[in-house]
Amino acid sequence: MDISVFQKARYAYQPKLPAGLSREVTDIALKFGSPTESVADQEDLKAIFKHSYGKPLVTFEPGSNDKIGRPLKAGVILSGGQAPGGHNVIAGLYDGLKKGNPGSKLYGFLGGPSGLIENKHIELTDSIIDSYRNTGGFDIIGSGRTKIETGEQFASSWENAKKLGLNAVVIIGGDDSNTNAALLAEYFLEHRSDIQVIGCPKTIDGDLKNEHIEASFGFDTAVKTYSELIGNIQRDANSAKKYWHFIKLMGRAASHIALECALQTQPNICLISEELEAKHWSLLQVVDYICNSIVKRAENKENFGVVLIPEGVVEFIPEMKKLIQELNDILAVHETELMKIDSFPEQLDFLGPKLSAASDGLLRHLPLRIARELLMDRDPHGNVQVSLIETEKLLMDMTQKRLGELKEKGVYKGKFSALGHFFGYEGRCAFPSNFDANYGYALGFGAFILIASGQTGYISCVKNLVAPADRWIPGGIPFTMMMNLEYRHGSKKPVIRKALVNLEGAPFKTFAVGRDAWAVKTSFLYPGSIQYYGPPEVCDQPTKTLKLEHSQLVT
Ligand code: FBP
């Protein structure tokens, strides 16, 4: 097989393990804390997770662990969107299993959770693992968004795991996938099966984090890749001085990616969805905010600039949020009927009486393209597929129109020429940064320790991530500790609580200090590409978000 020179060099990279995982595996003991509670809805969750609710936090300590050397069989699933570092989670898990006992086996379920439901798997071997070490992508076994939710799906997952003689299933996924992992762990316990389930926190979106999970793997590489691209565009804009670039950035609901990229690149404008919601801004207010910068820069003869737009922004502008929620509820019940209607105006007439008057009016006034996009399929977890909604184009069109009005009033005298971009898939499969390569590997290795020590219902976690990797602190967090109830598909469901941007947090506050100046004066930063080799201050830096959120942990 042909491989690039760089890929070959990356195979040789040895991820740095935290000291807590570097000793002999039989000398890694588990230390349990006190029982835990969920973040909300405790009584409801206790009833749903009768057998797995309230487990204690786990840390790894020096000590003897006589369970660890048993031969084990584990299955691994990559679930949801790709995130750099996923191959290293699998490599860490594999290396742990083999270190524990060379006779242990690791199976990879193909194409996401459906691989477990349909019993599609491969046995992972040294040569397979070695050809994916430190590489991006999820192509080692593929990924998918199928949710294990029906009684038959749970039963066939159990059946297939039993057929393979599995001791454990490891699910590498985001908040929804780890919620699914929690339900699977509970199902096995309820059926008196000793098959264990362990999760690993994955998502470029950065929204699977809390007091115990400092970051999901993949965020670091994705934001650094997008920041490089934004910096390149800023340099182009500053050279040609003729375009406004409207850049939508992946990240689903939360604006963590956009915020980190803004801290890295200092664009003229970066919208933060959570702030727009808090301020109850309408779509027109957002457009006026953008126009304000464009008008001021035009006065300085700077008819160019960069606007960053989080992909989920439409779900946070209160009027749009209400419309989307109403559409979600209607689609949960009437989707099949709606899809049978061919013409879009007739679809609007079908929806009209079911929507509130305000939402009906808004849907009819949106550009046709956007209105259609709002009706597209939800993902299997009930989420609007915001990556498919062309928000950057909506804002470009509305900005152009508003600038026309301002020109007529004599307020705006510049030239406006806009280009739209969407950065998402460009960053999800990049070679993992050293941070993500180390972090993914440590999460996988930690998952092995949890499995070998007989635990289930935990997500593998690594703390103190702003310190050098050898000082990271691995352990396990019970799934139920991160859960609450939320509306999905029109009814309340247990889910791991998503972390949105905290407007009181240091990353947002730092951004807020700089942004008014950036909006008018060109203050672009050019972060350049991810560096894999060289001094630690260039290659091993975590994101600004992580540093700002956890600076107290730097030792
Ligand atoms: P996960 O939450 O599964 O990690 O998804 C990340 C993500 O990249 C989002 O940022 C984006 O909205 C979505 O996946 C796109 O989904 P798809 O890959 O199905 O197009």
Side-chain angles (χ1 to χ4, degrees), residues 234 244-247 262 266-272 286-287 289-294 297 305-309 511 515 518-520 524:
Q234 290 186 156
W244 272 87
H245 294 270
F246 282 58
I247 306 174
Q266 301 188 178
N268 304 101
I269 294 166
C270 174
L271 303 177
I272 300 296
V286 175
V287 171
Y289 175 70
I290 297 172
C291 288
N292 193 29
S293 165
I294 297 175
R297 284 176 62 76
V306 167
V307 183
L308 302 186
I309 304 158
F511 159 72
R515 67 174 162 184
W518 309 344
V520 183
F524 301 153

Side-chain angles (χ1 to χ4, degrees), residues 10-287:
R10 286 313 277 170
Y11 285 164
Y13 177 76
Q14 182 54 51
K16 297 180 187 113
L17 266 183
L21 294 174
S22 303
R23 59 181 73 93
E24 281 304 316
V25 285
T26 43
D27 294 339
I28 303 175
L30 264 52
K31 187 175 166 202
F32 295 94
S34 319
T36 57
E37 294 280 1
S38 59
V39 285
D41 308 308
Q42 289 83 4
E43 292 312 313
D44 291 321
L45 288 163
K46 258 180 220 167
I48 299 169
F49 294 94
K50 286 196 185 67
H51 308 85
S52 54
Y53 183 88
K55 287 168 177 276
L57 287 170
V58 167
T59 48
F60 303 148
E61 305 280 322
S64 92
N65 191 335
D66 53 5
K67 287 191 177 156
I68 230 142
R70 296 171 291 144
L72 295 167
K73 286 186 181 171
V76 65
I77 296 172
L78 288 164
S79 181
Q82 283 69 252
H87 287 160
N88 274 29
V89 180
I90 298 181
L93 174 62
Y94 181 86
D95 289 352
L97 283 162
K98 295 288 177 184
K99 229 175 159 181
N101 188 308
S104 290
K105 288 185 189 299
L106 180 62
Y107 298 94
F109 288 104
L110 302 176
S114 61
L116 175 60
I117 300 171
E118 294 160 17
N119 199 14
K120 293 191 177 138
H121 65 268
I122 53 166
E123 184 182 339
L124 294 165
T125 57
D126 286 353
S127 68
I128 298 176
I129 294 287
D130 288 348
S131 55
Y132 287 94
R133 287 183 192 272
N134 307 304
T135 58
F138 278 4
D139 40 330
I140 185 169
I141 49 174
S143 184
R145 292 197 183 277
T146 305
K147 194 176 168 191
I148 305 173
E149 56 186 341
T150 64
E152 293 84 60
Q153 287 172 330
F154 277 105
S156 59
S157 299
W158 187 23
E159 210 37 54
N160 294 331
K162 276 194 292 192
K163 268 188 218 156
L164 279 173
L166 295 188
N167 300 91
V169 176
V170 175
I171 299 184
I172 303 171
D175 50 338
D176 287 330
S177 310
N178 276 291
T179 297
N180 219 205
L183 291 165
L184 191 63
E186 175 64 24
Y187 178 90
F188 287 146
L189 289 171
E190 187 188 338
H191 290 80
R192 297 176 195 284
S193 159
D194 52 10
I195 301 172
Q196 303 153 238
V197 181
I198 299 295
C200 285
K202 168 237 70 164
T203 179
I204 61 160
D205 300 348
D207 55 3
L208 175 47
K209 64 177 168 184
N210 50 51
E211 202 191 331
H212 300 285
I213 297 178
E214 296 179 7
S216 49
F217 77 80
F219 177 73
D220 187 90
T221 311
V223 289
K224 286 174 181 166
T225 305
Y226 302 140
S227 296
E228 181 204 355
L229 297 176
I230 294 163
N232 294 351
I233 283 188
Q234 290 186 156
R235 199 134 228 174
D236 196 288
N238 202 19
S239 308
K241 302 195 189 295
K242 60 178 180 180
Y243 295 122
W244 272 87
H245 294 270
F246 282 58
I247 306 174
K248 183 175 81 162
L249 290 161
M250 253 191 189
R252 215 187 270 282
S255 308
H256 300 293
I257 290 183
L259 178 57
E260 171 68 22
C261 290
L263 291 167
Q264 295 275 354
T265 62
Q266 301 188 178
N268 304 101
I269 294 166
C270 174
L271 303 177
I272 300 296
S273 310
E274 293 82 346
E275 183 186 23
L276 303 184
E277 181 173 44
K279 289 184 168 169
H280 301 286
W281 275 16
S282 66
L283 210 44
L284 283 178
Q285 281 174 295
V286 175
V287 171

